[in-house]
Amino acid sequence: MQQKVEAALKLIRPVLEKDGGNIELVECAPDGVVRVRLQGHCKGCPHSQATLKSIVEKTIVKLAPGVRKVEAVD
């Protein structure tokens, strides 16, 4: 699962980098929860939760079967 999540993040990264942000994989938990750390301008951005759900989570869930949700951690 981790390889598929990393592949999804490679697709997402250019979108975040365009606005000065980035994303790091922290954990792929056995229960299907993926934890990521938002970096750069994405960290603390008022729109980060919307980005997390509408772009990051949707892409990862689609490309990595078994993932059921994505959470941001500090």
Side-chain angles (χ1 to χ4, degrees), residues 8-30:
L9 291 178
K10 283 184 182 181
L11 294 174
I12 296 165
R13 226 173 239 116
V15 175
L16 301 178
E17 288 172 344
K18 183 179 172 187
D19 290 324
N22 206 340
I23 192 165
E24 171 190 9
L25 177 61
V26 175
E27 177 186 22
C28 289

Side-chain angles (χ1 to χ4, degrees), residues 39-61:
Q39 301 171 326
H41 287 145
C42 290
K43 185 178 180 180
C45 172
H47 303 289
S48 64
Q49 286 303 310
T51 300
L52 185 70
K53 293 297 175 187
S54 68
I55 297 173
V56 176
E57 186 174 76
K58 282 186 179 182
T59 303
I60 292 174
V61 167

